[in-house]
Amino acid sequence: MSVEKKVKITNETGLHARPASKFVQKAGGFNSEIIAILNDREVNAKSILGILSLGASKGKEIILKAEGTDEEMAIKELVNYLEVELPKEE
């Protein structure tokens, strides 16, 4: 079983280098396998190159999918980062 959630990128600069780095750091703190999907392209959410290659700019919606022992907490924290923390950082 896995947990999945769609998130809209709302900050002005999207997931560029610094936010992508923080996102990957947070994802790396979980044991679950975490995937980010944008326009049918799936990348490992624990890979900075993968996240940057998505080109997730403002207004785009990404799907986060986690599978593992801490899947629910992983999705909850990553969605919170993208929806709440990231817009405050700008």
Side-chain angles (χ1 to χ4, degrees):
M1 183 148 179
S2 64
V3 177
E4 184 176 313
K5 176 107 181 175
K6 186 182 281 188
V7 184
K8 188 172 187 175
I9 305 297
T10 59
N11 69 315
E12 288 297 321
T13 56
L15 274 179
H16 65 84
R18 187 182 48 76
S21 175
K22 282 189 169 183
F23 178 84
V24 167
Q25 259 186 332
K26 287 182 181 286
F30 295 98
N31 294 323
S32 295
E33 180 179 328
I34 306 170
I35 294 171
I37 305 165
L38 177 64
N39 296 332
D40 296 327
R41 180 151 191 244
E42 292 187 12
V43 299
N44 180 350
K46 297 178 183 180
S47 163
I48 186 74
L49 292 177
I51 293 299
L52 288 173
S53 73
L54 286 177
S57 56
K58 183 178 181 181
K60 297 215 172 160
E61 291 185 329
I62 62 172
I63 298 169
L64 298 176
K65 189 186 289 188
E67 185 170 343
T69 57
D70 53 3
E71 60 195 24
E72 289 192 26
M73 183 59 80
I75 293 299
K76 182 178 175 184
E77 289 209 17
L78 292 172
V79 167
N80 182 63
Y81 175 68
L82 293 175
E83 288 184 342
V84 180
E85 292 178 41
L86 185 55
K88 286 182 186 176
E89 291 179 3
E90 293 186 326

